[in-house]
Amino acid sequence: MTVAQIFTHAFTFFDVFGVVLAGVLGGMVAREERFDLVGFVALAVMVALGGGMLRDALLQKGPPVALTNPFYIGGAFLGALIAFAMRMTGKWWNRFFIVADAFVVSTWAATGAIKTLDAGYGVGPAMLLGVITGVGGGMFRDIAVGRTPAIFGGNTLYATGALVATWPAIVLWNLHKPFLALVSGMAVGGVLCVAARRFKWKLPVNNDYSLTQRVRVSFEEYARAKAVERTMRLDKAQREKVRLDKRRGEKWRREKTMTSRRRRLRRRRILDE
C-alpha cells in the first residue's frame, strides 16, 4: 500500500468518525428539543454534513463528497439513531463529547483548508473554508432550532480553534506533507479548544463599545490630568514664593538686628570717649 493510499484511508476514517460523532451531537440537541425521529435525522445531517457540503458547493469542484460517498450520509444517520436510542448524560459523557467535538471540529477545519489548497486557492480562502467546514454545521443546527449560533459569542473559543487548526495544516501542506498537515491541525486546534473549555478562555465581547466615545473619554481624562498638573505646578510656585518671601523676611530681620547692634556699639564708644 502506497503512502498516498494510506493517507486517503486515514483521511476518510477521521472524516467519517467525525460525521458519526457530529450526528450524535445533533441528535442530542434534538433530544433536548423533544423532536421525533425525523427531527433527529435532520439535525444530525445538518451538523455532520452541513459545513462540508457548503465548502464543496463554494469550491465548485464537482458534487459534494457527502453525496458521492455513502459512508457520510450513513454515518450521519447512524449518529442520529445512536442519539435517539441512548440517553448519554452525566459528567463523563459530557467530558467525552467536549474533547471529541473539539478534535472533530479541528479535523474538519484542517480538512477544509487542505481541500481548498488542493483546489488551487490561496491561503486566505483556505482559512475561510476551513472554518466554515468546522463550524458551519453547528451554525445550521442552531438556526434550525431557533438559537443564536454559539460561535457568535458568549462561549469559549470554538471558531477560533478551527481557525488556528488551519495554520499548521496550510504550512505543512505547502511543505508537501498532507498527512502531517491533517494530524497537526487536528492536534493544535483540538488542544486549544479543550484548553479554552478548561480555563474559560473567551474572546472579548463588545458591551456597547464606541471608538468615538473612547476617544472623547481619553481626551477628558487627559484634560483632567493636565489640569491637575497645572494646579500642582501653581501650588509649587506658590510654595516657592512663600518660602522665598519668608527667607527674605528672615534676612531683613537679621540685617535690622545687626544694624541695631552696630548703632548701640557706636553709642557706647561715643559715651566712653
Side-chain angles (χ1 to χ4, degrees), residues 66-94:
L67 301 181
T68 58
N69 188 334
F71 287 106
Y72 285 89
I73 295 180
F77 284 4
L78 176 61
L81 292 176
I82 292 174
F84 187 82
M86 298 175 59
R87 180 184 295 275
M88 289 167 285
T89 57
K91 180 177 68 174
W92 291 107
W93 278 115
N94 185 49

Side-chain angles (χ1 to χ4, degrees), residues 24 27 30 43 57 64 69 74 101 104 129 141 162 181 197 210 222 243 271:
V24 173
L43 285 186
N69 188 334
D101 184 44
V104 166
L129 292 183
R141 172 205 63 204
R197 288 296 295 266
S210 172
Y222 175 76
R243 188 176 63 83
L271 291 174

